[in-house]
Amino acid sequence: HGPTVVLVHGLGSRIQHWLPVARLLARDHRVVLVELPGHGLSEMPEPFSLARATRALDEALAAESRGPVVLVGHSVGGLVAANEALEHPERVRALVLVETALRPQVEGQECDAMLAALDRDYQGVLRNAYTAFGRDSAQGARLYAEVAQMDPAMVKPWIQLALTLDISLRMRHLIPPLLAVLAERSWPKDEP
């Protein structure tokens, strides 16, 4: 009951990771958990693109709610949620982005090297990234173990998207209010 909150997980994650938050919100909100394309039972669109991932989210929102929702996205789930809010502001009451980069965090030669490494040493790229995402080494190892079990044909396009897509300048056209949630270790206080 109450306003609808839609939770979108990040790459290599599952909707079950949102359950502790969903249980708290469900006290006075209607909570909807949405899978990213290629995760769980959700089909991976071919060819893959942000537009197609956004279309899948938009279809889920249309099916789950008649009015605008509070849309919460984590990591690349936040990238899709942000694009949904830009493309369909009538469906989004407010947008919450958790640890979401709206532009690539590496550029130029570093980005090219990561893209090349993705083909040359896929597991190494995953291990380095996901162990660093954890708040400690144990959580990082668990995150890596989960994503390492996923089909590389599904994971690689998402990583390529995160390394190459920049929607940051479009955000000035965002209509719904935005709350960005970032940990200090990913965005230090002294970083502009």
Side-chain angles (χ1 to χ4, degrees), residues 10 73-79 96-102 105 133 179-187:
H74 174 248
S75 187
V76 295
L79 189 62
V96 180
L97 302 179
V98 180
E99 292 292 323
T100 299
L102 298 173
Q105 299 302 288
F133 291 159
L179 172 65
V181 180
L182 300 159
E184 188 174 338
R185 57 187 252 294
S186 63
W187 193 332

Side-chain angles (χ1 to χ4, degrees), residues 5-103:
V5 176
V6 176
L7 304 173
V8 184
H9 62 82
L11 174 60
S13 187
R14 301 184 316 256
I15 58 175
Q16 292 84 348
H17 290 153
W18 277 118
L19 288 179
V21 172
R23 285 184 186 106
L24 293 172
L25 289 171
R27 294 176 183 160
D28 52 9
H29 294 82
R30 181 173 176 269
V31 179
V32 176
L33 302 170
V34 175
E35 290 179 321
L36 284 176
H39 292 70
L41 300 175
S42 180
E43 295 286 325
M44 185 73 168
E46 290 292 333
F48 178 73
S49 66
L50 179 62
R52 290 185 141 208
T54 302
R55 186 176 316 131
L57 175 58
D58 189 60
E59 289 169 1
L61 294 182
E64 291 293 337
S65 183
R66 292 191 181 134
V69 303
V70 175
L71 185 55
V72 182
H74 174 248
S75 187
V76 295
L79 189 62
V80 177
N83 199 54
E84 171 69 16
L86 288 166
E87 298 290 326
H88 301 282
E90 71 282 1
R91 292 204 197 280
V92 182
R93 171 182 292 169
L95 177 64
V96 180
L97 302 179
V98 180
E99 292 292 323
T100 299
L102 298 173
R103 67 177 188 218

Side-chain angles (χ1 to χ4, degrees), residues 153-174:
M154 188 282 304
V155 176
K156 281 184 180 183
W158 278 108
I159 294 174
Q160 291 164 339
L161 183 89
L163 287 173
T164 60
L165 188 72
D166 183 347
I167 68 166
S168 62
L169 294 179
R170 291 180 53 217
M171 293 302 286
R172 67 178 157 222
H173 303 294
L174 182 70

